[in-house]
Amino acid sequence: MQLNERKVKILQAIIKDYTDTAEPVGSRTIAKKYNLGVSSATIRNEMSDLEEMGLIVQPHASAGRIPSDKGYRYYVDSLVQKNFSSEDDESYIKYIKEIIANNINQIDHLMEETAKALSALTNYTTFISEPVVRKTKLKQVRLLPLDDISVMLVVATGENHIKNYIIPTQESIDDTKLNEMSNSVNDLLKGKNRDDMTDEVIRDILLIIRDHQELFKPMLKDIKKTIISAESVQVHLSGEKNMLSFPEFSDVDTARILFKTLEEKQALLNIIGEGTDGSTDVSIGGENELEEMKNCSVIKTSYKVGNDIYGTIGIIGPTRMDYAQVISVLNGMAKNIENVMNSIAKRKNKAIEGKDKLDE
Amino acid sequence: MQLNERKVKILQAIIKDYTDTAEPVGSRTIAKKYNLGVSSATIRNEMSDLEEMGLIVQPHASAGRIPSDKGYRYYVDSLVQKNFSSEDDESYIKYIKEIIANNINQIDHLMEETAKALSALTNYTTFISEPVVRKTKLKQVRLLPLDDISVMLVVATGENHIKNYIIPTQESIDDTKLNEMSNSVNDLLKGKNRDDMTDEVIRDILLIIRDHQELFKPMLKDIKKTIISAESVQVHLSGEKNMLSFPEFSDVDTARILFKTLEEKQALLNIIGEGTDGSTDVSIGGENELEEMKNCSVIKTSYKVGNDIYGTIGIIGPTRMDYAQVISVLNGMAKNIENVMNSIAKRKNKAIEGKDKLDE
DNA sequence: GATTAGCACTCACGATTAATGAGTGCTAAC
DNA sequence: GTTAGCACTCATTAATCGTGAGTGCTAATC
C-alpha cells in the first residue's frame, strides 16, 4: 500500500489527535490544528480515499474519522519503527535504577517491581513472564534447624529461584545429624534436573533419612514442587486498575470482562504466546485472538540473556494508544532487565575464567 | 430505641429485599411478598414511623424506602448478633481445608490464600493483616553456598517469617569456612531482637567475617530488613475487582476512587485500625472515617493465638450487604486461622513438655 | 384506637420530538 | 488539482409528555 505524503500526514494527524482526545477527528480540525497548507475540503477528499483503503473509519455518518486497526497497523509498521529508538525518553531510567538499587536479588521480586514500574510509566496494564528454562537444575538443597519442632528446607535452582518449606518434626533433631543428612541429600541432588530424580536417587535419599523417614518424606514433594515452579511460566500482572481511567472502559462491564479474562492464567499465556525472539511485537485490536480483547492492543517484546530467549514483557491497553512512546519505553525496560541479568551472568563467567586460570 | 414487632418485621423485610434487589422497596411489595397479615396502607404508616426514626430513607419522593446507615446499624446490633453463630454455613469449610491441605507453611502464603478464599466466598474485597509482633526474635541466620559467585543468606524469625537474600561474592568461598562463619553469626544472633543488635554484637560479627568484610557487610542490612518486615503490618488485599459487579459501582469513577484509596497502604492501615480484641466489628457507611468509603461497610474481626492478639481479617463491601452471612463466614474463617496457628503452637508446647520430662 | 380503602399528589423514567451543530459528500467554479 | 459552497446526515442535548410506582392523607370501617 503506497500513500502520498499528504495522506501520510493526514493519517498521522488523525492518529495523534484521536490518541489525545479519544474523539473522532474531523477534516476542519485537521485543517486548523495541523497546518498542511490545504483546505478542509481537500482533506475531506483525502480522508475519503483513506477510508476507502480501510485505514480510517467513521463511527457514524456525521462523525469525524478514527483510525481502524489497519490504520494503526500501517502507522506502526511504516511510521513508528523507523525512529522509535531515537526517541530517547530517559525519564524512566531513574525508575529502573531505583528498582535495581532497591536490593533485588530474587528473580520474582525483580519481575514484580519491573511490572509495577512499567505500568506506572505507561498507565497501561503490564505483564511480564519469568524466565523459562526447560530443564532447570537444582543448585542447593539444605536442611536447617529452625526450632525444636521444625526443620527448614531451602531449595535453590540454577536460576536462583529459592523456596523455603517448613517441615514439622514434633521432636528436636540433633544439629550434627541434620547437617549430615543435609549434606548427603545435597550431594545427591545438586546439579540434577527433574528427569534425573530417578527411583535410584530417591532410594538413596530415603536411605539417608531412614531414621526420620516419615518426617522427611514430604521433602521430596517440596523439592519437586520447586523445580516445577521454576520451570513453569510465572506471569506477573500489574496495573490492571489503570485501565479504568480510559474512556474506552467507562462501561464497567467492558472492564469487568477484560479483568476476568486477565485473571485466567491460560488466557494470559495465550497473550504472551511464543515469545518474540527479541523483536517487538504489536497486536492491534482484532488481531488479538481473544474476543474480549478486540478493542485492545498488546505490545510485547522479549528479554534474553546470552542466546537463550528468557522471557516476555509487554503491555495491554486500548487500541488508542501512543504506540511510539510505549514501544520505546518497553524496549528500554527490556534492555534493562537484560542488563541486570547479564551482569549476573558476566560475574559468573568471570568467576569461572578465574578458576580456569588457577587450574592451569 | 424500641420497635414493636411489626416494625421490626418491616425493617427486616426492607433490608432483605433491598439486599437482594438493590432497588428501593415499596409498601405494596412488602405487603405482597412478606405476608405480615396487614394491608399496604398499614405498612405505609409504619414505614412513615421508621423513616421518622431515621432507620430508613426515601431516595426521592415517589420511590420506595431503603435502609439508612442507622437502619443497618440497628439491624446488625439487635437482629444479627443474636443468632449469627447458629447459622452454620459449612460450605466454606471445604475451601479452608483445601487451603491448609495445599501445604502452606509460610505465614504470608497462608494469609494470601485465606484472603483469596474469603473474597471468593463473599464476593467482596478482603483484607487480612499478618501477625504483628512487637519484638520479633531472630530464630535462624544461615549462610549457605549457592554457586561459585554467590552465597545465599537465609533469615528466619520467631514467627516463621523466612527471607532469602543472595550475596554476590565474585569469588568462590570455601564451604567449611562459610559454614564456620554461618555458625558463628547464627550463635551471635539467635534469639536476638532488633534492640539486641548492639554495636558490640555488630563488632563481633564484623570480626567473624573479617576476611570478607566488604562482601558480607550488606548482610547486616538484610537481617535488619527481615526483622523490620516481620514487625511491620503486612496487609494482603484480595478481590477488589469483585466490587465491579455490584450496581453500587456501576459508575467507573466511584470504583476507581475506591481502588485508589485501597492501594494506599496508610488508608488500609486506617481501616484495619486497632484490631478488634476478638469481637466482630462492623462499620457501616458514614461510620467510616474515609470520605471515599461512606457508601461502603467494613466488617472485621481478629484472629489470635493464646492471649496475644495477632492480626485482623475483614471484608469491604457496599453498605447493602448480607451482614448475617458475611459475619458468619468471617468468624468461621478467623477461627480457622486460629486453629492452624494454634496447632503450630501446640506442637511446640508439646515438644517443650517432652523435653522437660527428659530433663528431670 | 387500629386498620384499611380510596384518592390526590409526586416524581423518576422512558419515549417522543425538536433544535443544534459537527461533519461529510458532491458540485461547480477557480 | 484545489477550494468554496451547500445540501444532507445523524449524534447529542434539551424539552415535553405520559406512565406508573409509590407516598401521604382522609374518611370509613372494624
Side-chain angles (χ1 to χ4, degrees):
Chain A
M1 182 152 29
Q2 205 46 33
L3 302 187
N4 65 39
E5 200 186 333
R6 194 165 62 196
K7 282 202 178 62
V8 168
K9 274 188 183 156
I10 290 173
L11 179 58
Q12 272 178 314
I14 292 172
I15 289 178
K16 164 99 177 63
D17 217 76
Y18 185 61
T19 303
D20 293 346
T21 64
E23 294 289 336
V25 190
S27 56
R28 259 190 102 225
T29 310
I30 297 177
K32 266 192 282 182
K33 268 170 77 173
Y34 307 80
N35 33 2
L36 305 184
V38 291
S39 79
S40 68
T42 310
I43 293 174
R44 266 203 296 286
N45 289 331
E46 297 283 34
M47 281 165 89
S48 177
D49 293 349
L50 285 171
E51 180 159 29
E52 214 167 85
M53 297 179 190
L55 296 174
I56 56 180
V57 286
Q58 240 181 325
H60 60 86
S62 71
R65 307 304 215 291
I66 62 175
S68 67
D69 289 357
K70 203 174 160 192
Y72 280 126
R73 166 57 56 204
Y74 183 90
Y75 172 74
V76 169
D77 285 348
S78 63
L79 307 173
V80 174
Q81 304 270 10
K82 279 178 202 153
N83 57 348
F84 71 80
S85 60
S86 71
E87 244 187 78
D88 244 3
D89 180 1
E90 306 257 323
S91 67
Y92 59 88
I93 299 280
K94 208 192 71 188
Y95 249 108
I96 298 167
K97 288 260 169 70
E98 263 171 38
I99 294 169
I100 296 166
N102 203 5
N103 211 344
I104 286 173
N105 37 26
Q106 267 185 272
I107 300 262
D108 45 353
H109 200 188
L110 170 65
M111 299 289 116
E112 196 75 52
E113 291 300 314
T114 307
K116 260 188 213 159
L118 186 54
S119 72
L121 278 170
T122 61
N123 260 314
Y124 299 117
T125 300
T126 302
F127 59 87
I128 182 163
S129 74
E130 286 188 16
V132 192
V133 186
R134 284 283 159 72
K135 292 203 167 185
T136 192
K137 285 177 182 166
L138 290 168
K139 206 146 128 190
Q140 287 289 338
V141 180
R142 293 281 164 175
L143 288 165
L144 297 174
L146 185 61
D147 53 37
D148 286 344
I149 52 148
S150 31
V151 163
M152 166 165 64
L153 168 69
V154 180
V155 185
T157 75
E159 294 70 39
N160 291 352
H161 266 268
I162 302 178
K163 291 235 172 187
N164 312 296
Y165 302 90
I166 295 171
I167 302 173
T169 57
Q170 314 276 12
E171 57 192 89
S172 175
I173 294 189
D174 182 62
D175 274 16
T176 326
K177 176 83 199 256
L178 187 69
N179 197 27
E180 246 170 57
M181 292 201 303
S182 174
N183 284 334
S184 307
V185 171
N186 189 45
D187 287 347
L188 264 177
L189 289 177
K190 208 172 179 175
K192 296 251 190 312
N193 65 33
R194 191 153 34 150
D195 293 343
D196 296 336
M197 287 182 70
T198 56
D199 288 350
E200 203 180 337
V201 174
I202 289 172
R203 209 177 312 130
D204 289 347
I205 293 176
L206 290 178
L207 209 63
I208 294 170
I209 60 173
R210 63 185 175 281
D211 291 349
H212 307 280
Q213 231 183 77
E214 281 320 300
L215 292 178
F216 289 108
K217 237 180 179 171
M219 176 178 74
L220 289 167
K221 223 170 67 187
D222 291 337
I223 294 170
K224 266 214 177 121
K225 206 154 76 179
T226 310
I227 297 181
I228 291 166
S229 96
E231 286 180 357
S232 68
V233 186
Q234 286 286 352
V235 186
H236 298 263
L237 199 67
S238 178
E240 305 99 294
K241 287 170 220 149
N242 286 344
M243 307 288 264
L244 291 175
S245 49
F246 297 112
E248 279 86 348
F249 296 96
S250 63
D251 177 27
V252 179
D253 285 331
T254 321
R256 215 181 55 234
I257 289 167
L258 179 63
F259 286 161
K260 205 164 179 184
T261 307
L262 294 181
E263 263 172 17
E264 288 166 33
K265 197 177 171 195
Q266 198 47 52
L268 260 184
L269 292 179
N270 244 321
I271 293 167
I272 289 178
E274 306 260 296
T276 67
D277 200 23
S279 63
T280 301
D281 205 84
V282 184
S283 264
I284 298 162
E287 297 172 9
N288 290 300
E289 278 181 28
L290 289 170
E291 191 55 41
E292 301 89 333
M293 304 210 25
K294 296 289 182 203
N295 58 349
C296 289
S297 284
V298 177
I299 305 181
K300 64 187 175 190
T301 189
S302 60
Y303 59 91
K304 52 181 180 174
V305 181
N307 285 325
D308 306 329
I309 292 179
Y310 259 58
T312 304
I313 177 170
I315 69 102
I316 301 168
T319 44
R320 173 184 69 86
M321 67 163 84
D322 188 339
Y323 290 90
Q325 198 234 330
V326 171
I327 291 174
S328 152
V329 172
L330 187 64
N331 282 321
M333 205 57 112
K335 208 155 280 168
N336 259 283
I337 299 177
E338 288 181 359
N339 285 346
V340 176
M341 292 195 154
N342 272 318
S343 79
I344 296 174
K346 262 183 211 150
R347 280 199 297 116
K348 193 164 184 169
N349 283 335
K350 245 187 207 162
I352 292 171
E353 261 174 43
K355 225 183 174 183
D356 284 354
K357 258 181 205 157
L358 233 76
D359 287 350
E360 275 169 25
Chain B
M1 183 153 28
Q2 205 47 33
L3 301 187
N4 65 40
E5 199 186 333
R6 194 164 63 198
K7 282 201 177 63
V8 169
K9 274 188 182 155
I10 290 173
L11 178 59
Q12 271 178 313
I14 292 172
I15 289 178
K16 164 100 178 63
D17 216 77
Y18 184 61
T19 303
D20 293 345
T21 65
E23 294 289 336
V25 190
S27 56
R28 258 191 102 225
T29 310
I30 297 177
K32 266 191 284 182
K33 268 171 74 175
Y34 306 80
N35 35 2
L36 305 184
V38 291
S39 79
S40 67
T42 310
I43 293 174
R44 267 203 297 286
N45 290 330
E46 297 283 35
M47 281 164 88
S48 177
D49 293 349
L50 286 171
E51 180 160 29
E52 213 167 87
M53 297 179 192
L55 297 174
I56 56 179
V57 286
Q58 241 181 324
H60 59 86
S62 72
R65 307 303 215 293
I66 63 176
S68 67
D69 290 356
K70 203 174 159 192
Y72 281 125
R73 165 58 56 204
Y74 183 90
Y75 172 73
V76 169
D77 285 348
S78 62
L79 307 173
V80 174
Q81 304 270 9
K82 278 178 202 153
N83 58 347
F84 72 81
S85 60
S86 72
E87 244 188 76
D88 244 3
D89 180 2
E90 304 256 324
S91 67
Y92 59 88
I93 299 280
K94 208 192 72 189
Y95 249 108
I96 298 167
K97 287 260 168 72
E98 265 171 36
I99 294 170
I100 295 167
N102 204 4
N103 211 344
I104 285 173
N105 37 28
Q106 267 185 273
I107 300 264
D108 44 354
H109 200 188
L110 170 66
M111 299 289 115
E112 195 76 53
E113 291 299 316
T114 307
K116 261 188 212 160
L118 186 53
S119 71
L121 277 171
T122 61
N123 260 315
Y124 299 118
T125 301
T126 302
F127 59 86
I128 182 164
S129 75
E130 286 188 15
V132 192
V133 185
R134 283 284 159 72
K135 292 204 167 184
T136 192
K137 285 178 181 164
L138 290 167
K139 205 147 127 190
Q140 288 289 337
V141 179
R142 293 282 164 173
L143 288 165
L144 297 174
L146 185 61
D147 53 36
D148 286 344
I149 52 149
S150 31
V151 163
M152 167 165 64
L153 168 69
V154 180
V155 185
T157 74
E159 294 71 37
N160 290 353
H161 266 269
I162 302 179
K163 291 236 170 185
N164 312 297
Y165 303 90
I166 294 171
I167 302 174
T169 57
Q170 314 277 11
E171 57 190 87
S172 177
I173 293 189
D174 182 60
D175 273 16
T176 325
K177 176 81 200 256
L178 186 68
N179 197 27
E180 246 170 58
M181 291 203 302
S182 175
N183 283 335
S184 308
V185 171
N186 190 43
D187 287 347
L188 265 178
L189 289 177
K190 208 172 179 175
K192 297 251 191 311
N193 66 32
R194 192 154 32 152
D195 294 343
D196 296 335
M197 287 182 70
T198 56
D199 289 350
E200 203 180 338
V201 174
I202 289 172
R203 208 176 314 131
D204 289 346
I205 292 175
L206 290 177
L207 208 65
I208 293 168
I209 60 172
R210 62 184 175 283
D211 291 348
H212 307 280
Q213 229 183 78
E214 281 320 301
L215 292 178
F216 288 107
K217 237 180 179 170
M219 175 178 74
L220 289 168
K221 223 169 66 187
D222 291 338
I223 294 170
K224 267 216 176 117
K225 205 153 76 179
T226 309
I227 297 181
I228 290 166
S229 96
E231 286 181 356
S232 69
V233 186
Q234 287 285 352
V235 186
H236 298 263
L237 198 68
S238 178
E240 305 99 294
K241 286 171 221 147
N242 286 345
M243 307 288 264
L244 291 175
S245 49
F246 296 112
E248 279 86 347
F249 296 97
S250 62
D251 178 27
V252 178
D253 286 330
T254 320
R256 216 180 56 234
I257 289 168
L258 180 64
F259 286 161
K260 205 164 178 184
T261 306
L262 294 181
E263 264 172 17
E264 287 166 33
K265 196 177 171 195
Q266 198 47 51
L268 260 184
L269 291 179
N270 244 321
I271 293 167
I272 288 178
E274 306 260 295
T276 68
D277 199 24
S279 63
T280 302
D281 205 84
V282 184
S283 264
I284 298 162
E287 296 171 10
N288 291 300
E289 279 181 27
L290 289 170
E291 191 55 41
E292 301 89 333
M293 303 209 28
K294 295 290 182 204
N295 58 348
C296 289
S297 283
V298 177
I299 305 182
K300 64 187 176 190
T301 188
S302 60
Y303 58 91
K304 51 181 179 174
V305 182
N307 286 323
D308 307 329
I309 293 178
Y310 259 58
T312 304
I313 177 170
I315 70 102
I316 301 168
T319 44
R320 173 184 68 86
M321 67 162 84
D322 188 340
Y323 291 90
Q325 198 234 331
V326 171
I327 291 174
S328 152
V329 172
L330 186 64
N331 281 321
M333 204 59 112
K335 208 155 281 170
N336 258 284
I337 299 177
E338 287 181 359
N339 284 346
V340 176
M341 292 195 155
N342 272 318
S343 80
I344 296 174
K346 262 183 212 150
R347 279 200 297 115
K348 193 163 184 169
N349 284 336
K350 246 187 206 163
I352 291 170
E353 262 174 41
K355 224 183 174 182
D356 283 354
K357 258 180 204 157
L358 233 76
D359 288 351
E360 274 169 26

